Amino acid sequence: MALFGRETITDQQILERMRSGDERPLGTLYNRSMPLVEAYILQNSGKKEDAEDILQDALVIVWKNIRKPDFQLSSAFMTYIQSIARNLWLKKLRSARHLNIVSDTIENTDDTKEQYIAQAEDPEINAMLLNKVMDRLSPVCRQILILFYFEELDTSEIAVKMHFANSDTVKSKKYQCKKKLEEMIKSSFTLDDFLE
């Protein structure tokens, strides 16, 4: 149940109103969802402003999905919105974590440190740098780093997936691969590589 103006309406009624083009229930959903979404994001490295942005993005997705003819609400609206918001936030955290891999490596460069630090402030350049370097890694190294940093699997899961003897083998290989990644960034690229 949700409040809409002075009346209390059900999820089904909200769904019907939004399907007919009525955007007013979005305000009700925003107000009711914010405390839960904010609590989740604050507990997971975020700020109040992040929660506001994520919830707005989640409600845009809800609005678009509801307008699809085959859409069916299989849970309570609050559960559905929280699920979308959680997925959006985790995706944002993963993206930030990927860029930090490059930023951490860049911080360790000596010869052209200033150039790389300037690049580190630009996420698009960071992503370009990561893609260029990853393409030059061996297939095994590339897969280990993708599974660990992008898909967030732990070393024991990677050991099973890639048929390594155990998680210690993965840890050792991951260390070697990350060192290789650092060496490639330090020695293989200059600012000109990103101004093509």
Side-chain angles (χ1 to χ4, degrees), residues 30 34-35 37-43 45-56 89 92:
Y30 181 92
M34 177 51 78
V37 171
E38 184 178 336
Y40 174 79
I41 288 177
L42 291 177
Q43 289 169 5
S45 309
K47 302 174 188 170
K48 182 178 173 61
E49 296 77 22
D50 295 319
E52 292 169 355
D53 291 343
I54 290 292
L55 182 53
Q56 287 173 9
W89 182 243
K92 185 171 183 177

Side-chain angles (χ1 to χ4, degrees), residues 70-124:
D70 58 344
F71 175 81
Q72 292 197 356
L73 187 65
S74 56
S75 62
F77 255 120
M78 294 305 102
T79 305
Y80 180 54
I81 293 167
Q82 282 177 266
S83 175
I84 293 173
R86 185 172 60 250
N87 288 337
L88 288 173
W89 182 243
L90 291 175
K91 183 177 178 183
K92 185 171 183 177
L93 286 178
R94 278 195 296 272
S95 177
R97 186 176 177 191
H98 305 161
L99 296 179
N100 283 340
I101 301 167
V102 178
S103 297
D104 290 346
T105 302
I106 286 168
E107 288 295 327
N108 294 325
T109 60
D110 295 320
D111 298 339
T112 55
K113 187 172 182 179
E114 291 79 15
Q115 288 180 343
Y116 285 120
I117 289 173
Q119 292 174 39
E121 296 171 0
D122 187 334
E124 288 184 15

Side-chain angles (χ1 to χ4, degrees), residues 20-35:
S20 70
D22 188 350
E23 297 180 12
R24 289 176 298 166
L26 288 171
T28 299
L29 294 175
Y30 181 92
N31 292 332
R32 289 179 60 84
S33 302
M34 177 51 78

Side-chain angles (χ1 to χ4, degrees), residues 136-180:
R136 296 188 185 184
L137 287 172
S138 71
V140 171
C141 274
R142 189 164 54 243
Q143 187 173 5
I144 287 173
L145 294 178
I146 287 171
L147 291 174
F148 186 79
Y149 289 106
F150 287 65
E151 298 186 20
E152 297 185 327
L153 299 185
D154 62 34
T155 52
S156 58
E157 291 172 315
I158 296 172
V160 172
K161 193 174 183 82
M162 294 187 67
H163 309 291
F164 283 107
N166 52 48
S167 63
D168 289 335
T169 307
V170 175
K171 286 176 189 171
S172 173
K173 190 68 179 168
K174 180 179 75 71
Y175 174 79
Q176 294 169 10
C177 292
K178 191 168 181 210
K179 292 303 286 183
K180 181 70 175 170

